[in-house]
């Protein structure tokens, strides 16, 4: 299946005690064989531990110590509880991103809790309609590529805690109360991302923010919010006033706004959302 063949990238180096894992729900035998062959050809050596089971939750439970790579097949993968990522991990969809979904079916506080030096997600959709947060980045750097994060208008897609870093490229954040919230002292990089149909898009406080070729579309309150300070200033529909480059800690290039109630707001919140 060409779509799947094109989507399996060379994995990063796996620790000597790490594993390569595949969560495969269902599908044609030829598709599975094609995926397995590509994974095998990309393994560091023939002695790398490999597992293939239908339960993504079970596979993630095995990723507690060493650096692991988890491939995810197409379909809806339901987690019954929040998943704490305490060791470095690569989670990558091997089919169409729109058909590779991960969701917490029971609801609760969050989908993924990143508590390690480095985690990455690619080629999938993270669904958080029943959660308060979809991903919380507490420590280290979390990277996303070709990921859609879909929430509800009651939750935060990505929360980046102080001292942590979040990097997203070619991602979409939609239907959330806040798409990306960056706490004081965090670092955010968004490249080629779409932030659409949220209440607030990017919300940050005293953070290092790098935006490149991103599109803020139809956010119902503010596309970009910098909070903190004593003065409240808003720019409505880009008519005049604040420029992204004038916000402290922000570098921006190739940013577009369309259909947002307010494009840029500054100092309108006294506390983080």
């Amino acid at each position: 299946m060409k779509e799947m063949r094109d989507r399996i990238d060379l994995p990063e180096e796996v620790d000597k005690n790490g594993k390569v894992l595949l969560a495969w729900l269902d599908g044609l035998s030829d598709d599975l064989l094609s995926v397995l062959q590509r994974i095998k050809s990309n393994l560091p050596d023939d002695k790398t531990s490999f597992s293939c089971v239908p339960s993504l939750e079970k596979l993630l439970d095995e990723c507690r110590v060493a650096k692991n790579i988890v491939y995810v097949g197409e379909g809806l993968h339901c987690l019954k509880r929040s998943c704490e990522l305490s060791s470095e991990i690569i989670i990558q969809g091997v089919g169409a991103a729109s058909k590779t979904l991960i969701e917490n079916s029971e609801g609760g506080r969050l989908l993924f809790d990143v508590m390690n030096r480095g985690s990455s997600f690619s080629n999938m959709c993270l669904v958080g309609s029943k959660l308060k947060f979809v991903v919380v980045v507490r420590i280290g750097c979390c990277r996303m590529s070709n990921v859609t994060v879909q929430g509800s208008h009651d939750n935060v897609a990505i929360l980046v805690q102080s001292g942590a870093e979040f990097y997203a490229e070619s991602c979409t954040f939609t239907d959330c109360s806040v798409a990306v919230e960056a706490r004081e002292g965090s670092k955010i990089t968004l490249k080629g991302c779409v932030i659409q149909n949220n209440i607030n898009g990017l919300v940050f406080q005293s953070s290092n923010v790098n935006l490149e070729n991103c599109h803020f579309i139809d956010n119902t309150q503010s596309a970009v919010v910098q909070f903190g300070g004593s003065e409240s200033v808003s720019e409505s529909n880009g008519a005049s006033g604040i420029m992204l480059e004038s916000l402290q800690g922000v570098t921006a290039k190739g940013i577009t706004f369309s259909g947002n109630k307010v494009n840029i707001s500054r100092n309108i919140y006294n506390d983080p959302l």
Side-chain angles (χ1 to χ4, degrees):
M1 185 175 178
K2 183 178 186 301
E3 188 173 25
M4 288 190 174
R5 291 199 304 269
D6 290 344
R7 290 296 189 175
I8 302 178
D9 299 324
L10 281 169
E12 300 176 30
E13 184 178 352
V14 185
D15 290 351
K16 62 180 180 179
N17 295 320
K19 300 178 180 180
V20 175
L21 310 162
L22 171 63
W24 184 268
L25 293 173
D26 198 1
L28 299 175
S29 58
D30 285 349
D31 293 340
L32 176 58
L33 290 172
S34 176
V35 168
L36 291 174
Q37 187 59 44
R38 283 295 303 278
I39 291 174
K40 184 177 186 299
S41 67
N42 291 336
L43 294 181
D45 56 62
D46 291 336
K47 296 181 180 179
T48 302
S49 176
F50 176 81
S51 297
C52 177
V53 298
S55 172
L56 175 61
E57 188 165 67
K58 180 179 179 180
L59 292 185
L60 292 173
D61 282 341
E62 297 184 28
C63 302
R64 297 294 184 183
V65 181
K67 184 175 182 178
N68 298 273
I69 299 174
V70 177
Y71 290 111
V72 184
E74 289 184 355
L76 177 60
H77 298 262
C78 293
L79 307 181
K80 295 182 180 180
R81 52 181 169 75
S82 301
C83 182
E84 180 182 300
L85 302 180
S86 56
S87 63
E88 295 182 75
I89 189 170
I90 299 165
I91 305 176
Q92 179 181 330
V94 294
S98 62
K99 298 179 181 178
T100 307
L101 301 94
I102 302 176
E103 180 179 25
N104 186 321
S105 59
E106 302 296 321
R109 183 169 175 79
L110 51 89
L111 183 60
F112 288 107
D113 196 351
V114 178
M115 305 179 67
N116 58 66
R117 292 180 300 170
S119 295
S120 69
F121 300 83
S122 62
N123 198 46
M124 64 183 60
C125 180
L126 303 180
V127 182
S129 57
K130 300 178 181 180
L131 306 171
K132 184 173 182 180
F133 305 98
V134 182
V135 177
V136 175
V137 186
R138 300 184 190 274
I139 300 172
C141 179
C142 177
R143 303 176 70 89
M144 289 187 180
S145 174
N146 192 35
V147 173
T148 295
V149 183
Q150 182 177 352
S152 71
H153 287 128
D154 295 323
N155 62 7
V156 176
I158 309 294
L159 173 64
V160 188
Q161 298 281 28
S162 298
E165 181 176 351
F166 178 66
Y167 178 97
E169 185 169 2
S170 302
C171 294
T172 298
F173 305 94
T174 184
D175 299 330
C176 297
S177 174
V178 177
V180 179
E181 180 178 344
R183 295 287 172 87
E184 183 176 2
S186 62
K187 182 177 180 180
I188 306 296
T189 300
L190 304 179
K191 292 187 176 182
C193 294
V194 176
I195 299 90
Q196 184 172 13
N197 197 37
N198 305 284
I199 296 177
N200 293 290
L202 170 64
V203 177
F204 66 97
Q205 177 186 24
S206 300
S207 307
N208 185 330
V209 177
N210 178 30
L211 305 175
E212 185 176 335
N213 299 326
C214 293
H215 309 285
F216 293 83
I217 304 168
D218 295 334
N219 297 287
T220 59
Q221 185 165 310
S222 295
V224 177
V225 181
Q226 183 183 49
F227 57 81
S230 58
E231 184 181 0
S232 178
V233 183
S234 296
E235 175 190 355
S236 180
N237 297 323
S240 61
I242 307 172
M243 299 294 291
L244 274 175
E245 295 80 357
S246 70
L247 299 179
Q248 185 177 1
V250 176
T251 59
K253 180 176 70 174
I255 308 304
T256 65
F257 298 97
S258 176
N260 307 292
K261 181 179 180 181
V262 175
N263 288 339
I264 304 171
S265 299
R266 184 173 59 192
N267 299 332
I268 66 172
Y269 297 112
N270 291 324
D271 299 299
L273 295 177

